[in-house]
Amino acid sequence: MTVELVRSNASDADVLFAARVSTQGEQTLESAQSGDEATSRDRGLINYLMRDRHGSPFEHNSMTFYVQAPIFVFREFMRHRMASYNEESGRYRQLNPTFYVPNEKRNLVQEGKPGAYNFLPGTAEQTALVQAEAEAQSVAAYESYQRMLEAGVAREVARIVLPLNLYSSMYVTVNARSLMNFLSLRTKREGTHFPSFPQREIEMCAEQMENFFAELMPLTYEAFNKNGRVAP
């Protein structure tokens, strides 16, 4: 899974001027335009907003990510209707033969009940089976895709035989409040108020997005973790 931060307009200071306009009105305009960074003295206000779930001040920022992942991961991404997405199109370009095949580190055995699954390592035989089947089906599907394209079949029709482990790419633009919601659901952490059990592949994307978020908005990120990783 590949995640790159393409551009951002996001800092802890964005949270501060958005929050302070409630009580200071036009007096906040100078600080909003100054580009000054938040300081450790602002930690208390940001923590208060996070703790008491005053969420709208965390929306006045933007982060755009470029993501490369299998199509089945993108299906899970787009369950989150709080971001803007643009994905490469199989109608307008020939798709590349890049497929996801789990390596030996991927847990394969599912235990537990819905909503509280645990995943355990597979046996060497199970790992070999998953890899062999995924590779065989990927090769066969792409060869079928190529045969149709060579016969003059439109790309939008030929693509229907391609499997969900085909890699795609997209841009995702999101604000901090929505990103925290995404992270709370798509990462598994001890001590969270609402435990989550994400599929590992989307969690790998979420972890990379989280690293960028932590660098851009360290005080907001600190408050997010301090208050149980609940989006305000």
Side-chain angles (χ1 to χ4, degrees):
M1 313 302 145
T2 299
V3 177
E4 298 179 24
L5 180 67
V6 178
R7 63 183 58 183
S8 65
N9 182 12
S11 72
D12 292 315
D14 300 332
V15 180
L16 299 173
F17 70 72
R20 287 171 174 155
V21 74
S22 298
T23 57
Q24 299 177 20
E26 70 280 0
Q27 298 175 45
T28 61
L29 188 57
E30 183 177 347
S31 63
Q33 294 174 331
S34 69
D36 292 341
E37 293 297 318
T39 69
S40 58
R41 295 173 59 189
D42 300 306
R43 180 178 282 108
L45 174 56
I46 290 175
N47 187 69
Y48 160 73
L49 295 169
M50 190 77 68
R51 185 194 66 214
D52 286 19
R53 306 195 72 185
H54 296 292
S56 58
F58 297 98
E59 296 177 5
H60 296 271
N61 55 78
S62 176
M63 291 163 269
T64 297
F65 301 97
Y66 175 74
V67 183
Q68 288 182 313
I71 291 172
F72 71 85
V73 173
F74 283 7
R75 285 198 175 176
E76 292 203 322
F77 256 103
M78 292 175 186
R79 295 293 297 166
H80 298 270
R81 294 176 294 278
M82 76 314 171
S84 297
Y85 303 101
N86 273 89
E87 184 181 355
E88 69 175 279
S89 173
R91 296 184 67 194
Y92 303 127
R93 62 165 296 183
Q94 181 173 336
L95 299 171
N96 295 322
T98 306
F99 296 89
Y100 173 70
V101 177
N103 62 27
E104 64 280 355
K105 296 180 181 179
R106 177 57 161 97
N107 290 339
L108 300 178
V109 179
Q110 178 178 304
E111 289 187 344
K113 59 184 180 179
Y117 290 126
N118 289 313
F119 287 86
L120 306 175
T123 64
E125 291 76 14
Q126 288 172 321
T127 298
L129 176 64
V130 168
Q131 292 178 342
E133 292 291 344
E135 290 174 5
Q137 295 304 315
S138 299
V139 170
Y142 199 80
E143 289 176 347
S144 176
Y145 174 63
Q146 286 184 304
R147 286 193 295 270
M148 285 191 280
L149 291 178
E150 290 166 1
V153 174
R155 288 184 291 266
E156 67 181 46
V157 177
R159 66 178 175 168
I160 67 175
V161 299
L162 294 172
L164 293 176
N165 68 328
L166 180 76
Y167 270 80
S168 187
S169 62
M170 68 174 175
Y171 290 101
V172 182
T173 299
V174 66
N175 64 47
R177 186 184 192 184
S178 295
L179 181 57
M180 287 185 281
N181 176 263
F182 176 79
L183 296 176
S184 71
L185 294 167
R186 297 299 183 177
T187 58
K188 185 176 182 179
R189 297 285 191 276
E190 295 295 329
T192 60
H193 285 341
F194 303 104
S196 187
F197 303 91
Q199 183 162 342
R200 179 56 188 152
E201 286 77 9
I202 195 169
E203 184 178 33
M204 292 164 68
C205 293
E207 288 170 346
Q208 294 178 68
M209 295 169 76
E210 181 166 345
N211 289 336
F212 288 116
F213 173 48
E215 292 177 8
L216 290 168
M217 304 180 71
L219 298 181
T220 300
Y221 181 66
E222 177 186 293
F224 173 58
N225 284 292
K226 182 178 180 179
N227 291 279
R229 295 175 67 86
V230 178

